[in-house]
Amino acid sequence: MGPCRGCCSQSLRPTAFPPRSSGPPKWRAGLRRRAEWQRRANRAATALVVRSSALGNMHFSIPETESRSGDSGGSAYVAYNIHVNGVLHCRVRYSQLLGLHEQLRKEYGANVLPAFPPKKLFSLTPAEVEQRREQLEKYMQAVRQDPLLGSSETFNSFLRRAQQETQQVPTEEVSLEVLLSNGQKVLVNVLTSDQTEDVLEAVAAKLDLPDDLIGYFSLFLVREKEDGAFSFVRKLQEFELPYVSVTSLRSHEYKIVLRKSYWDSAYDDDVMENRVGLNLLYAQTVSDIEHGWILVTKEQHRQLKSLQDKVSKKEFLRLAQTLRHYGYLRFDACVADFPEKDCPVVVPLPSGSTSSPSRGRGEVRLELAFEYLMSKDRLQWVTITSPQAIMMSICLQSMVDELMVKKSGGSIRKMLRRRVGGTLKRSDSQQAVKSPPLLESPDASRESMVKLSSKLSAVSLRGIGSPSTDASASAIHGNFAFEGIGDED
């Protein structure tokens, strides 16, 4: 991925996209348990409910509080900083969270909601503030993990409003820059209060991507490196405002990128039926090859170059599908304890977020631990230490979700909702997709990538405040969905 590094001849330009014809947190200790092999053997007879990847894969925490003064000289109050995957999302008062709780109770009933910390008649002592912080953190985590509450518009709109208020961004129309995989910039007119789905819809409209293909793509927050490649920060969620998310980082390194968000390459057939979808997939594939994410031999490179010269995009993609690491998402270099301790590895996962550096009270190291099927009946824990550990866990969970959808006969093809009361007027696209750069000669010196099998029985995330911290006592997230995936998958 990244911008073009050179000019291409006219004959190599892919078909242009047509314009529209009309208008450091204190990670809380959790439970980590090893899945038993007997449970894997009996998984076919056990019904498994897997949380939606949009719900169970985001880690909510309230690692700290702040004492702040009220507006216009008002009385001081305690603010609770809500972090998502280790990054500050919003700052709220107890009364705001109480209002959210009351609204959810009216809509879903008291029996559905987790316990909420009670009001206090007098000012809280420091110990009571800390206790309330812990209780509110558990409350937010429980609500988010509940399939009904966590996906509710009440909960997500609360988080979006809180994010906008925290960053003090007024609601107004702005131009937002979204990049394609080949570095082309797409400018869309959006509101600062537009959520992720609205922005994705605006980008699709600008490119003339059909509604029924929008579900195959997602917006990702990335950090652009010096070599033009991208380091993935996270997939933008429905509870955040993309414009606010990217501008609040206050760095030109951070960008929003449109990229396919599915893992099974069989879905490529749906995307390639449409000219715009074909162009997007083609540009992404060329970019991934250019940056070494997809590995090619010299003979394969020659064949790909020939197809690129002929502008045979479908044939190019058919060949690319047979290549090693096609459709994978490349993470930054990290460290693992397998096959030996402190072993440097590069993790490619079949294609989907890492956390930005945490902004809490200290630097936090993250570890992803998972059980890997080494042989027929032997599982072994493997631990990866990486700032992108949460993103890796998200990707693993989303693989399971996609497999379960496929097993149930469902489809990821979907129609996005249209906003009530009319849509924001979008300006016509005047940009054409530039040709991806010519494929560079394969570099034999490229470092090899360690492939992770999808046969994982359990996944655990650990947040470590310092190297001396006991990692085993600080698991923050468990993922046992892989127990429901059979060998045939």
Side-chain angles (χ1 to χ4, degrees):
M1 299 171 65
C4 293
R5 295 181 177 174
C7 296
C8 306
S9 64
Q10 184 67 30
S11 62
L12 294 180
R13 295 182 184 276
T15 305
F17 291 107
R20 274 185 72 79
S21 56
S22 61
K26 299 176 182 176
W27 297 100
R28 296 295 138 194
L31 295 177
R32 172 184 176 184
R33 59 185 177 87
R34 185 182 299 270
E36 298 176 355
W37 175 258
Q38 287 78 6
R39 296 186 62 188
R40 282 181 58 88
N42 296 330
R43 60 183 174 266
T46 304
L48 177 69
V49 178
V50 181
R51 292 194 190 100
S52 165
S53 62
L55 302 181
N57 60 19
M58 306 301 291
H59 179 71
F60 277 60
S61 63
I62 304 179
E64 58 194 3
T65 62
E66 293 183 22
S67 179
R68 304 179 68 86
S69 59
D71 297 335
S72 303
S75 59
Y77 64 92
V78 175
Y80 297 87
N81 294 342
I82 298 178
H83 288 231
V84 179
N85 289 1
V87 180
L88 176 66
H89 178 78
C90 61
R91 187 180 295 111
V92 296
R93 304 173 66 157
Y94 170 84
S95 59
Q96 291 175 285
L97 291 173
L98 177 60
L100 169 66
H101 175 74
E102 292 297 331
Q103 190 171 354
L104 289 172
R105 185 174 62 83
K106 291 179 181 178
E107 294 182 23
Y108 300 100
N111 294 334
V112 177
L113 291 172
F116 191 84
K119 292 181 180 180
K120 298 285 186 178
L121 294 177
F122 304 102
S123 299
L124 275 62
T125 65
E128 290 174 328
V129 170
E130 173 63 13
Q131 182 185 40
R132 176 175 282 182
R133 181 199 63 77
E134 292 181 352
Q135 292 172 336
L136 289 174
E137 180 177 75
K138 292 177 181 178
Y139 176 84
M140 291 296 293
Q141 291 173 349
V143 171
R144 178 61 185 174
Q145 291 172 4
D146 185 279
L148 180 64
L149 302 175
S151 62
S152 68
E153 178 60 21
T154 297
F155 181 70
N156 289 310
S157 62
F158 171 84
L159 291 172
R160 292 193 295 266
R161 289 195 304 270
Q163 181 189 24
Q164 187 176 7
E165 292 172 2
T166 298
Q167 299 300 332
Q168 298 181 332
V169 177
T171 298
E172 58 186 356
E173 187 171 348
V174 294
S175 292
L176 179 63
E177 181 180 284
V178 176
L179 300 183
L180 304 184
S181 296
N182 62 351
Q184 180 194 343
K185 299 177 181 178
V186 178
L187 291 177
V188 291
N189 293 330
V190 298
L191 295 175
T192 54
S193 58
D194 274 351
Q195 63 194 67
T196 300
E197 193 173 14
D198 294 327
V199 175
L200 179 59
E201 179 185 329
V203 175
K206 194 73 174 281
L207 297 174
D208 209 18
L209 181 69
D211 287 349
D212 61 350
L213 290 184
I214 297 178
Y216 292 83
F217 295 89
S218 293
L219 298 176
F220 294 86
L221 182 64
V222 301
R223 181 175 58 83
E224 190 172 18
K225 299 180 180 180
E226 293 182 356
D227 62 357
F230 294 140
S231 174
F232 284 81
V233 177
R234 67 176 179 274
K235 177 181 175 180
L236 294 177
Q237 300 293 314
E238 75 277 12
F239 57 77
E240 63 182 314
L241 311 176
Y243 176 84
V244 177
S245 293
V246 70
T247 56
S248 64
L249 294 170
R250 295 174 175 82
S251 173
H252 295 300
E253 292 182 343
Y254 292 94
K255 313 283 186 181
I256 296 177
V257 170
L258 178 72
R259 185 178 172 89
K260 76 173 186 178
S261 59
Y262 56 87
W263 306 93
D264 190 344
S265 60
Y267 289 119
D268 288 348
D269 291 340
D270 296 340
V271 177
M272 289 192 293
E273 289 176 359
N274 175 264
R275 182 161 57 97
V276 178
L278 175 63
N279 283 339
L280 287 171
L281 193 58
Y282 175 70
Q284 177 177 316
T285 304
V286 171
S287 177
D288 287 356
I289 293 174
E290 180 197 16
H291 289 100
W293 289 20
I294 299 175
L295 305 184
V296 298
T297 64
K298 289 185 177 180
E299 175 58 24
Q300 290 168 339
H301 174 270
R302 185 192 65 77
Q303 296 175 18
L304 289 169
K305 181 62 170 60
S306 175
L307 292 172
Q308 190 182 35
D309 290 342
K310 299 175 183 177
V311 199
S312 300
K313 286 176 282 192
K314 284 190 177 181
E315 291 76 9
F316 182 98
L317 289 171
R318 295 297 184 199
L319 176 57
Q321 289 173 339
T322 68
L323 302 180
R324 191 179 176 196
H325 298 155
Y326 173 82
Y328 281 36
L329 183 64
R330 173 79 170 264
F331 290 92
D332 297 339
C334 54
V335 175
D337 64 354
F338 180 85
E340 58 188 25
K341 186 178 180 180
D342 296 329
C343 178
V345 297
V346 175
V347 181
L349 288 178
S351 59
S353 89
T354 165
S355 297
S356 299
S358 63
R359 300 180 182 179
R361 295 173 180 171
E363 184 179 357
V364 170
R365 293 191 307 133
L366 294 175
E367 290 185 347
L368 171 70
F370 55 89
E371 282 189 297
Y372 186 92
L373 186 61
M374 298 294 178
S375 59
K376 182 179 179 181
D377 58 356
R378 186 173 71 89
L379 287 164
Q380 177 176 329
W381 279 95
V382 177
T383 301
I384 296 175
T385 302
S386 168
Q388 295 175 304
I390 293 177
M391 178 63 186
M392 293 178 191
S393 178
I394 291 172
C395 290
L396 293 174
Q397 176 65 61
S398 64
M399 292 179 202
V400 175
D401 293 337
E402 190 170 305
L403 282 169
M404 300 302 280
V405 168
K406 194 170 184 178
K407 273 190 169 186
S408 66
S411 172
I412 63 174
R413 185 189 291 261
K414 67 178 182 179
M415 295 285 289
L416 290 189
R417 59 154 183 79
R418 293 291 181 179
R419 278 175 288 178
V420 178
T423 57
L424 184 66
K425 183 180 179 180
R426 313 292 183 189
S427 60
D428 292 342
S429 171
Q430 298 299 324
Q431 294 181 322
V433 171
K434 299 178 181 178
S435 173
L438 290 174
L439 296 174
E440 297 175 349
S441 299
D443 185 356
S445 66
R446 286 192 193 277
E447 58 185 344
S448 60
M449 294 193 280
V450 181
K451 181 178 181 180
L452 297 182
S453 170
S454 62
K455 295 191 176 183
L456 312 174
S457 69
V459 178
S460 175
L461 273 170
R462 296 195 293 261
I464 307 171
S466 65
S468 61
T469 303
D470 181 9
S472 63
S474 33
I476 62 172
H477 177 66
N479 179 347
F480 306 98
F482 288 91
E483 297 172 26
I485 300 302
D487 291 338
E488 70 277 5
D489 298 316

